[in-house]
Amino acid sequence: MNWLATLNESQLKAVVHPGGPLFVVAGAGTGKTRTLTAKIAYLIMNGVDPKRILAVTFTNKAAREMKERVIEMTGPHAIDVWLYTFHAFGLQILRRHIAELPYGYKVTFSVIDEEDGKKIISDAIKELGLDVRQYSIKALKNLISLFKTKRMPQFERTDEEKIYKKYQQYLYVNQLVDFDDLLLYPLELFMEYPHLREKYQTAFEYILVDEFQDTDIVQYKLLKVLGAAHRNLFVVGDPDQSIYSFRGANYMNSELFIRDFHAEKIVLDKNYRSTNKILKSANKLIAHNFNRPSAKNLESDLGIGQDITFFVAPNDYRETFYVINEINRLVKMGYRYDDIAVLYRNNALSRLFEDTMMKEGMPYIIYGGISFYERLEIKDALAFIRVALDHRQDFYLKRIINVPKRGIGQVSIQKIGDKARELGVSLFDAIQYVDLQPSAMHGLNEFKKIIEDISDAFFDMTDLSQIMSFVMERTGYINMLKAENNEIADNRIDNLKELQSVFIRGDLYYEGTFYEKLQQQLDQISLYSDLDQDVTEDNHVKLSTYHQVKGLEFKVVFMVVMEEGIFPNDNAQYSAVDLEEERRVAYVGITRAKEKLYMTHANQRLVYGQRRMGYPSRFIDEARLTETSEKPTTFSDESHILKMGDHIEHQTFGSGVVIKVEDEIATIAFAMPHGIKQILESHPSIKKIKK
């Protein structure tokens, strides 16, 4: 067991703990996975039968890696450890005992995924004689999940309850279970059937839990009933990194475990990731949270480290240029692009950084997500605009002919296509000649009228800024998303609002008539694709939300758009609970950084199409260590993308030299006959030439 010698004092104390309930409060970067796997290995090496050890975590990848590590430490017999995700563990129980439940299940049942569930709900609505167009299937699926897990006491509408009962009956009859059932049915078996409860309470001598701060109410109840007899529960987690309440994670589980089991606590606070100035900043920030089951202060042996850089820009573009220029400077110093992460509170905030990185040719990837212009709602909105601009755009028309749903199925679309080919016209022009069922014909005429109304509106518009509000209102797209009433839909609405900012910028970028500017804007967006990114190697800057990078680490982290109303978000202003979770999100961001941390914000920002003043996030002051060593860096020439003496190439005017840059305007000298021109330095027609 020479691997025990690699553990620090607190880790070793946890691993050799004699038994009974133990809460290992494992701070960021303190080696929680090493401690958990070492504990499993220690139990096996001390004679505990691997079959009597249950360890649960949250991802299949984590479970697989932990099992491989334990086998490496103790030998092949460790393969018998029950090391699963919560859902995989539930499935193991149901494969053995689901027939004992009074629902008619056999052990050969099948598990459905999210999309299967939505299809069943859609069919249930039709069978009940309800209008499927009046419902958001995704929102209904979410409501059913909330009700089943008792996070929602009852349905508000009678129809919703009828749909739920129809959905559940379909599952019973067809021998299907959904992901909620994989946890709920095992809990029911343990709670209602004493012989099964006693069987598994004695089958497992030790229960270990990874990422305990992310457990929900049902998962905690499962752990509580299984551990009630032997009480050998070893849970590892960090309440300060509990940031998934929107997925059902219950922050109070840490306090419940300590109270229900009178658990001991061991704190892991030696960090192996970050320098101490970064850690002190994280400690200072999270200390503002009052509700902390176990406070701790992280420290490391990695030296004092560099001061945190706080940057204040006059506007959002200057903030973006500053970040890009800093990344270029860091790369020249020897950092790689993949050492660097740019983190933001929500996905819509990636757009400005994507645009600028594409323009500069800087390699990047959207980590755990997709590019702004590749998002479903953005592609849908642009498809409406393209079809309204040119009715012959068949490719885009097929994308949105039934969005939002208006009863036009694939068979109807096929018939329209056949008629278009027969007459040699576009799909749009074929609509008036096709013969379909009355319901489909009604939806088709409704779609045709929407496109015509948008086309007519374009004729009267003078500015690109007028487009998005009209298109989203006339198509009913925003109302469709509002009806879903969940966080995913809210994020999609935010993305569409951010697309409004793109068109507002377009009014400044492009010249000519409304139609000429719109075509230039659409052409520019068409060029923003994954083909612009160097996907042949891994050396890319990571753009990501905080939630996507929890558990990862980077040498350099930029925490951008740190402004009140954005981070923390507006909703958190009125709830102490929500504000503390937002602060934990910021804490996760800080503790991703190993060597260098930046926090940036702008005094003015175009947010969802509206120019607004930006006020620094309270988290900036809460994380600042000293006023003397960490004064904010303010706007300077370095936050421009162009500077005096730069050589540029303009699509129309040819080669030029930058004479000066003031505000966002570059004064550039071109060869005759063009002479001196003043142009937005971020104008897409300008490309900086490296001499």
Side-chain angles (χ1 to χ4, degrees), residues 620-638:
I620 290 177
D621 277 339
E622 291 175 358
R624 203 189 304 277
L625 299 179
T626 64
E627 290 298 329
T628 54
S629 65
E630 295 181 336
K631 290 180 180 177
T633 305
T634 53
F635 166 69
S636 70
D637 284 343
E638 288 189 355

Side-chain angles (χ1 to χ4, degrees), residues 480-543:
M480 174 191 76
L481 293 176
K482 286 180 178 177
E484 294 184 12
N485 192 31
N486 58 43
E487 180 162 351
I488 294 173
D490 290 344
N491 286 338
R492 294 179 67 194
I493 291 171
D494 287 347
N495 289 335
L496 288 166
K497 290 178 179 177
E498 181 60 21
L499 186 58
Q500 169 76 351
S501 298
V502 174
F503 285 107
I504 288 175
R505 296 278 183 193
D507 279 322
L508 299 174
Y509 281 158
Y510 305 110
E511 299 173 355
T513 66
F514 170 83
Y515 287 103
E516 288 170 339
K517 289 192 293 183
L518 177 54
Q519 192 59 62
Q520 290 176 76
Q521 179 72 79
L522 293 174
D523 288 346
Q524 188 68 26
I525 289 171
S526 296
L527 298 175
Y528 289 167
S529 72
D530 289 340
L531 297 177
D532 294 312
Q533 300 181 34
D534 181 8
V535 295
T536 59
E537 55 184 73
D538 295 328
N539 192 19
H540 299 76
V541 177
K542 307 294 191 299
L543 300 182

Side-chain angles (χ1 to χ4, degrees), residues 16-31:
V16 302
H17 186 266
L22 179 66
F23 186 8
V24 181
V25 183
T30 58

Side-chain angles (χ1 to χ4, degrees), residues 104 342 455 619:
V342 178
S455 297
F619 301 150

Side-chain angles (χ1 to χ4, degrees), residues 46-211:
N46 278 274
V48 178
D49 186 345
K51 293 189 183 70
R52 303 197 66 196
I53 300 173
L54 169 65
V56 285
T57 186
F58 277 86
T59 68
N60 292 303
K61 181 174 182 286
R64 183 175 63 253
E65 290 176 352
M66 286 169 60
K67 194 159 201 174
E68 289 171 355
R69 178 67 180 134
V70 173
I71 291 171
E72 183 183 310
M73 295 165 77
T74 64
H77 59 295
I79 199 169
D80 291 330
V81 172
W82 283 55
L83 215 166
Y84 295 107
T85 64
F86 276 96
H87 291 93
F89 168 70
L91 181 58
Q92 291 292 320
I93 299 299
L94 295 184
R95 285 293 180 215
R96 292 164 170 79
H97 306 293
I98 195 170
E100 300 195 39
L101 291 170
Y103 308 124
Y105 280 113
K106 301 174 183 177
V107 293
T108 54
F109 67 90
S110 298
V111 183
I112 61 169
D113 62 19
E114 193 75 7
E115 292 306 312
D116 294 331
K118 291 177 189 174
K119 178 66 168 63
I120 295 167
I121 290 170
S122 178
D123 291 344
I125 294 170
K126 294 171 187 173
E127 286 183 30
L128 290 166
L130 303 172
D131 185 355
V132 72
R133 292 174 296 182
Q134 300 299 314
Y135 296 90
S136 162
I137 307 301
K138 185 181 290 186
L140 272 174
K141 183 69 176 70
N142 187 52
L143 285 175
I144 288 172
S145 178
L146 291 173
F147 177 77
K148 288 177 73 166
T149 57
K150 301 296 184 280
R151 286 185 282 143
M152 183 178 76
Q154 62 187 31
F155 291 99
E156 290 187 9
R157 295 162 52 190
T158 305
D159 286 348
E160 291 169 351
E161 187 171 359
K162 289 179 181 176
I163 294 166
Y164 160 69
K165 289 179 178 177
K166 197 80 173 173
Y167 167 83
Q168 201 60 43
Q169 185 62 33
Y170 186 91
L171 297 188
Y172 295 152
V173 171
N174 291 277
Q175 295 289 304
L176 302 173
V177 300
D178 61 22
F179 264 57
D180 290 321
D181 297 332
L182 291 177
L183 299 178
L184 291 168
Y185 287 157
L187 180 61
E188 184 176 347
L189 286 167
F190 295 147
M191 298 297 290
E192 303 298 330
Y193 299 84
H195 68 287
L196 290 178
R197 180 169 63 246
E198 292 166 10
K199 172 183 173 70
Y200 283 96
Q201 283 177 339
T202 55
F204 301 120
E205 188 178 348
Y206 288 90
I207 298 174
L208 303 94
V209 188
D210 189 21
E211 302 284 9

Side-chain angles (χ1 to χ4, degrees), residues 228-326:
H230 56 69
R231 299 174 61 81
N232 288 325
L233 273 84
F234 182 96
V235 307
V236 182
D238 183 7
D240 288 337
Q241 295 186 77
S242 178
I243 61 173
Y244 291 114
S245 64
F246 65 92
R247 294 182 187 168
N250 183 28
Y251 183 76
M252 299 306 295
N253 281 357
S254 297
E255 291 186 10
L256 288 173
F257 176 66
I258 293 169
R259 185 195 70 192
D260 292 345
F261 286 89
H262 305 290
E264 293 183 49
K265 284 192 294 186
I266 293 176
V267 177
L268 306 185
D269 54 12
K270 183 174 182 180
N271 178 280
Y272 293 91
R273 175 186 299 157
S274 307
T275 58
N276 280 290
K277 282 198 173 179
I278 291 171
L279 296 178
K280 286 180 180 178
S281 182
N283 294 335
K284 189 170 184 292
L285 171 79
I286 203 64
H288 287 80
N289 274 8
F290 293 105
N291 184 17
R292 297 177 72 197
S294 182
K296 61 188 175 308
N297 279 293
L298 300 177
E299 295 181 346
S300 82
D301 295 334
L302 299 175
I304 296 174
Q306 303 176 57
D307 288 342
I308 295 167
T309 301
F310 300 93
F311 179 77
V312 185
N315 57 49
D316 46 2
Y317 257 94
R318 291 291 183 271
E319 179 188 25
T320 309
F321 295 161
Y322 171 78
V323 171
I324 302 305
N325 286 328
E326 275 297 291

Side-chain angles (χ1 to χ4, degrees), residues 556-650:
V556 181
V557 167
F558 290 85
M559 296 173 65
V560 299
V561 199
M562 296 278 291
E563 290 151 30
E564 288 290 307
I566 295 176
F567 191 29
N569 62 45
D570 282 325
N571 295 334
Q573 310 285 342
Y574 310 105
S575 166
V577 172
D578 290 346
L579 181 59
E580 293 209 347
E581 176 143 341
E582 287 285 283
R583 190 174 283 112
R584 293 195 293 272
V585 173
Y587 176 80
V588 166
I590 293 173
T591 54
R592 297 314 93 198
K594 298 168 68 176
E595 298 176 6
K596 193 155 185 59
L597 176 66
Y598 295 79
M599 292 186 181
T600 71
H601 70 93
N603 290 328
Q604 195 178 77
R605 182 176 302 281
L606 192 64
V607 179
Y608 308 144
Q610 300 292 320
R611 179 67 65 183
R612 60 182 257 181
M613 299 302 295
Y615 300 94
S617 167
R618 69 191 69 191
F619 301 150
I620 290 177
D621 277 339
E622 291 175 358
R624 203 189 304 277
L625 299 179
T626 64
E627 290 298 329
T628 54
S629 65
E630 295 181 336
K631 290 180 180 177
T633 305
T634 53
F635 166 69
S636 70
D637 284 343
E638 288 189 355
S639 58
H640 286 282
I641 206 161
L642 295 177
K643 64 180 183 296
M644 187 174 68
D646 278 348
H647 292 258
I648 65 97
E649 186 74 25
H650 189 278

Side-chain angles (χ1 to χ4, degrees), residues 649-668:
E649 186 74 25
H650 189 278
Q651 289 176 354
T652 303
F653 306 138
S655 299
V657 177
V658 178
I659 300 172
K660 66 177 180 179
V661 182
E662 289 182 353
D663 294 328
E664 296 186 45
I665 306 298
T667 302
I668 304 172

